[in-house]
Each structure stands twice: as structure tokens, then as C-alpha cells.
Amino acid sequence: MENKISMEDKIVYQTEIQRDMPRKVQNTVQNTVQNTVQNTVQNTVQNKIQVQTRKDRAAQIMEIKMRRAEDSGSIVFIPVGGMKGQEFGKNLLALNKHVRILKSSAVFGDIESIKRQLTDIENARDEMWGKIKAVIPRFSSFSPKRWSEINNSRDEKIRLAQRRISYVITPTDDTTGSIIMAAKVLSEKIIESQASSSLDELSELIGTYRMFNEKITNILNDGGKTDVQDAANTESVADAQEAIEPPEARTKTGKKK
């Protein structure tokens, strides 16, 4: 009985305190509670929207990649090397776009500048394949112009394209196709060699891989700064895949299918 009375007294005491509390303080407490609840609800809703947006975008990008993978002229490139590898993939996308822009602007552009840039890209291709032949002997007699002969089958490309870090690129022309294929061949060789080769051989392959990326970066910095910035500003492989290339698959001549 004493405990019951004590509890009742406590409730009465608390009620009296609340009655004596200034109205301004009560309003402040109520507003604080309401704002906290509203902010919590808004943040929860916004987070759900952002998560769903990312999922929708990822699904859209995957659909684009799968459609491109079915194009007989496309190449699926899976980079090695963490963030630096992702940079390489974005640079390949940017290079492909850069060459397409150069060729489409030839009618009204500076012909000599365009020819010089295209020649630099061809020289880079020859140098890259020269290094490939030096570090991977089975390509010693291979002609870069035959890059499509060593491309993956349609089914294999579709399988590889499902990997989130993959880049599916339809080359603008044979020059960009052979450059992208050189990067692909070297990347696959590094993956193969990580488990079976000596550290010296692996070091040489990695050095060549870095040299390839630096060479492409230099080409873009010389004539395609906007493309490099676009690639650097993308937040993920999916963003790069959509931001740098249009959704439609293209043939090797650069025309839409």
C-alpha cells in the first residue's frame, strides 16, 4: 500500500511540475521533438530513394553492357590493378570517344591537327603491340590489324560483361580496336601470371601495363582533355560506361547499328 501511495504521489508531483513549466519551454520541447521526427523520416525516405536510384541505374547500365556484348565488334575489357586499373578502363573509353570525335570533326576541323593526333594514336598502337610481342612471345608474329581474330566469342563476352568491373567497348575503328585488345591481352596475361610466373616476369608485365595507361593518358591530355576530365569525374565503372559512350552499340566504322 505504501508503495502504491508513493507512486501516486510521484505522478502527481510530475504533473504539477509540467503545469508550472513555462509555455515557451513546452513549445520548444514540442518543436524539437517534431523536427527530430520529421528529419528522421525525411532522411529515411531520401536514403531509400537514393538506394533505389543506384539499383535502377546499375540495372540500366548492365542492360546497356549486355546489349553491347552481343555486338560482334565489341571488346570486353576487365582491368587489373584496383583503382589504377579502373582509370585505365575509363581512359580506353575516353580514347574511343576521342577518336570518334576527331573523325567526325574532320570536315570543319583543323585537318593537320587531326592527322597529327591520329598518327600519334597509330604510333602508340604500334609501340604497345611491340611491347606485347616482347613480353608475350606467342604474339611475336601477330598483326595488330587482326585483333578481331583473337576476340572473345559472343557467349564469352556476355559472360564477362556481367562482371561489375568490366568495360564493354565497341571500337570506333581498327586502330582503337587494336589498342583496346592490347590492353585486354596484357591484363589477362597479368592475371594468369600472378599465380605462375616469377616476380621479375610479373614486374615486367605490370610495368608495361602502366606504360600503356600513361601513353593513352598523354594522348588524351594532348588532344582530348574534356574526355579525360569526364572519365576522372565518374564515380564507378557503371557511370563511366554510360557517361563516356552513348547507349547505342556501334560498328567498327563508328556508325550506329
Side-chain angles (χ1 to χ4, degrees):
M1 184 66 180
E2 290 181 358
N3 290 339
K4 184 176 181 181
I5 294 173
S6 176
M7 181 62 68
E8 290 176 350
D9 289 343
K10 185 176 181 180
I11 293 172
V12 171
Y13 177 71
Q14 290 176 341
T15 303
E16 290 176 351
I17 291 177
Q18 290 177 349
R19 288 175 179 173
D20 293 338
M21 185 182 296
R23 185 176 299 276
K24 184 180 293 185
V25 175
Q26 289 183 1
N27 291 339
T28 300
V29 172
Q30 290 175 353
N31 291 336
T32 300
V33 172
Q34 289 176 353
N35 290 336
T36 300
V37 172
Q38 289 177 353
N39 290 336
T40 301
V41 171
Q42 289 176 354
N43 290 337
T44 300
V45 172
Q46 289 177 354
N47 288 338
K48 288 183 177 180
I49 292 174
Q50 290 174 355
V51 169
Q52 188 59 48
T53 299
R54 286 195 294 269
K55 288 181 178 179
D56 292 343
R57 184 172 178 78
Q60 180 185 14
I61 297 303
M62 182 57 67
E63 181 182 350
I64 292 170
K65 289 170 61 176
M66 297 302 290
R67 187 166 65 246
R68 288 179 182 165
E70 294 182 355
D71 184 352
S72 61
S74 65
I75 300 173
V76 181
F77 171 67
I78 299 179
V80 294
M83 291 304 296
K84 277 293 183 182
Q86 297 300 315
E87 176 187 307
F88 197 177
K90 293 173 184 178
N91 280 341
L92 290 174
L93 282 165
L95 177 67
N96 198 48
K97 178 183 177 182
H98 178 52
V99 172
R100 185 164 62 243
I101 291 174
L102 282 176
K103 292 195 169 186
S104 64
S105 63
V107 176
F108 298 105
D110 184 342
I111 296 297
E112 292 304 317
S113 175
I114 292 173
K115 287 172 62 178
R116 177 185 59 79
Q117 292 184 64
L118 291 176
T119 298
D120 289 343
I121 294 170
E122 290 173 355
N123 291 338
R125 172 203 60 194
D126 294 340
E127 184 175 350
M128 290 170 71
W129 273 101
K131 291 293 293 184
I132 287 284
K133 294 176 181 181
V135 297
I136 310 178
R138 72 174 183 272
F139 287 103
S140 59
S141 60
F142 181 76
S143 171
K145 294 181 179 179
R146 294 165 48 205
W147 64 267
S148 61
E149 296 179 12
I150 58 173
N151 200 8
N152 298 117
S153 66
R154 174 183 173 277
D155 290 344
E156 182 66 8
K157 286 195 294 182
I158 290 175
R159 185 185 69 80
L160 294 173
Q162 294 177 25
R163 296 187 60 179
R164 185 176 180 275
I165 63 171
S166 65
Y167 291 81
V168 186
I169 311 171
T170 302
T172 298
D173 60 9
D174 279 332
T175 300
T176 53
S178 57
I179 288 175
I180 297 166
M181 184 57 70
K184 175 181 174 66
V185 166
L186 188 57
S187 180
E188 291 175 351
K189 180 61 177 179
I190 290 174
I191 294 174
E192 174 189 326
S193 300
Q194 284 176 333
S196 59
S197 299
S198 66
L199 289 178
D200 289 340
E201 181 180 352
L202 184 59
S203 177
E204 184 178 11
L205 291 170
I206 292 173
T208 303
Y209 189 78
R210 290 174 177 171
M211 183 272 287
F212 282 11
N213 187 41
E214 290 173 1
K215 186 164 290 294
I216 293 172
T217 300
N218 290 337
I219 290 173
L220 293 171
N221 284 336
D222 181 43
K225 293 182 179 179
T226 300
D227 296 336
V228 175
Q229 291 166 357
D230 286 345
N233 290 335
T234 52
E235 296 179 353
S236 66
V237 174
D239 289 339
Q241 190 75 50
E242 184 178 38
I244 298 178
E245 282 204 323
E248 298 86 2
R250 296 172 181 269
T251 63
K252 288 191 291 183
T253 59
K255 297 178 181 179
K256 293 181 182 179
K257 294 180 70 177

